[in-house]
């Protein structure tokens, strides 16, 4: 398997999950501005959506969409406990979180990162994120992770969102549970490994 990623992008979420389950995989870095892979391929030919992450299987098939990729990986390694089995009520709680993070958090960061977004809209996106963070913070009260004591796939995704918050100067101090969550996840050995491999920490 090969994971196409860009350093610090949303592809860090499946990257963390790959390491947490102990999967064997290769990494291929993508230059998202030039749409080129590190080995020189035209990234549009890898993913017509022009986005990371992409998970490429040994038979050449490719899976896109981070929230789906993480579930696929975790389902291959059920003993790692990163997703509850399909059919269990908890599985749909995990999906509820993934869907929330992708639509309510992830997609509000894009306009803030983009240099050509009008400032007034950046402000609205920032307020959206702050409101969502407040809600997540309440949900994390008394919990180590989104699903309780067990680290599951949406935790990796939420961790990436908290990294982005730092990049765009959204402080986590008003959200003490979320801030503690970020610190807890950052200490996980596999998370550190993934961050190092992407050049995000030393
Ligand atoms: N719906 C996709 C969105 C992926 C996405 O937004 N990827 C960003 C990086 S975090 C990207 O590659 N952006 C480059 C672009 O859109 O040109 C998913 O959830 O996987």
């Amino acid at each position: 398997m090969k994971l196409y990623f860009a350093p610090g992008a949303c592809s860090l979420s499946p990257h963390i999950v790959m390491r947490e389950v102990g999967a064997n995989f290769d990494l291929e870095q993508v230059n998202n501005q030039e749409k080129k892979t590190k080995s020189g391929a035209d990234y549009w030919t890898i993913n017509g959506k022009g986005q990371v992450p992409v998970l490429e299987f040994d038979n050449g098939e490719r899976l896109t969409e981070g929230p789906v990729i993480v579930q696929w990986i975790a389902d291959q390694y059920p003993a790692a406990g990163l997703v509850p089995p399909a059919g269990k009520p908890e599985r749909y709680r995990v999906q509820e979180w993934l869907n929330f993070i992708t639509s309510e958090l992830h997609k509000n960061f894009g306009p803030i990162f983009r240099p050509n977004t009008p400032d007034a809209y950046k402000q609205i996106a920032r307020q959206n994120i702050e409101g969502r963070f407040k809600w997540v913070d309440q949900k994390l009260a008394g919990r180590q992770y989104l699903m309780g004591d067990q680290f599951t796939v949406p935790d990796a995704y939420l961790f990436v969102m908290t990294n982005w918050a730092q990049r765009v100067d959204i402080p986590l101090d008003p959200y003490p549970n979320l801030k503690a969550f970020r610190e807890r996840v950052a200490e996980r050995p596999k998370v550190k490994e993934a961050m190092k491999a992407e050049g995000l920490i030393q």
Side-chain angles (χ1 to χ4, degrees), residues 27-41:
L27 282 172
E28 173 98 41
Q29 189 167 333
V30 176
N31 180 325
N32 239 341
Q33 278 70 49
E34 293 174 13
K35 302 294 173 208
K36 287 266 179 225
T37 70
K38 199 150 195 177
S39 56

Side-chain angles (χ1 to χ4, degrees), residues 33 49 53 122 149 157 160 193:
Q33 278 70 49
K49 292 184 263 193
K122 281 190 183 174
D149 289 339
Y157 201 9
V160 177
E193 250 181 40

Side-chain angles (χ1 to χ4, degrees), residues 4-50:
Y4 291 85
F5 80 103
C10 53
S11 44
L12 177 58
S13 159
H15 184 182
I16 289 171
V17 170
M18 291 285 234
R19 290 182 190 266
E20 287 278 350
V21 298
N24 251 330
F25 66 99
D26 295 320
L27 282 172
E28 173 98 41
Q29 189 167 333
V30 176
N31 180 325
N32 239 341
Q33 278 70 49
E34 293 174 13
K35 302 294 173 208
K36 287 266 179 225
T37 70
K38 199 150 195 177
S39 56
D42 173 0
Y43 192 58
W44 290 113
T45 66
I46 310 287
N47 181 6
K49 292 184 263 193

Side-chain angles (χ1 to χ4, degrees), residues 5-193:
F5 80 103
C10 53
S11 44
L12 177 58
S13 159
H15 184 182
I16 289 171
V17 170
M18 291 285 234
R19 290 182 190 266
E20 287 278 350
V21 298
N24 251 330
F25 66 99
D26 295 320
L27 282 172
E28 173 98 41
Q29 189 167 333
V30 176
N31 180 325
N32 239 341
Q33 278 70 49
E34 293 174 13
K35 302 294 173 208
K36 287 266 179 225
T37 70
K38 199 150 195 177
S39 56
D42 173 0
Y43 192 58
W44 290 113
T45 66
I46 310 287
N47 181 6
K49 292 184 263 193
Q51 294 177 318
V52 291
V54 167
L55 185 62
E56 186 174 271
F57 301 105
D58 294 345
N59 67 4
E61 275 193 42
R62 298 185 184 116
L63 187 63
T64 62
E65 302 298 326
V68 175
I69 293 174
V70 292
Q71 291 182 73
W72 187 89
I73 301 163
D75 274 332
Q76 309 313 302
Y77 297 85
L82 262 66
V83 282
K88 291 257 187 204
E90 294 81 13
R91 177 59 171 252
Y92 306 96
R93 293 288 169 207
V94 159
Q95 290 180 336
E96 194 177 26
W97 275 119
L98 288 171
N99 206 70
F100 171 80
I101 296 166
T102 208
S103 57
E104 305 297 332
L105 286 171
H106 182 167
K107 286 297 152 181
N108 268 307
F109 275 100
I112 302 178
F113 287 136
R114 244 168 268 129
N116 59 352
T117 304
D119 281 347
Y121 190 76
K122 281 190 183 174
Q123 225 19 60
I124 292 170
R126 198 172 273 274
Q127 283 163 7
N128 287 341
I129 291 166
E130 288 166 350
R132 268 47 160 191
F133 273 178
K134 191 173 168 197
W135 186 80
V136 175
D137 187 62
Q138 288 164 7
K139 290 287 162 188
L140 281 170
R143 291 175 168 221
Q144 295 205 65
Y145 299 111
L146 290 170
M147 292 292 291
D149 289 339
Q150 172 73 30
F151 180 88
T152 60
V153 289
D155 294 310
Y157 201 9
L158 180 60
F159 174 71
V160 177
M161 299 299 110
T162 62
N163 286 347
W164 290 358
Q166 293 193 324
R167 275 171 51 189
V168 300
D169 292 325
I170 297 180
L172 293 184
D173 300 310
Y175 322 105
N177 301 315
L178 183 59
K179 191 176 178 198
F181 164 89
R182 192 196 177 278
E183 286 160 10
R184 194 173 296 124
V185 176
E187 280 309 310
R188 293 179 70 86
K190 297 296 171 185
V191 173
K192 282 188 180 167
E193 250 181 40

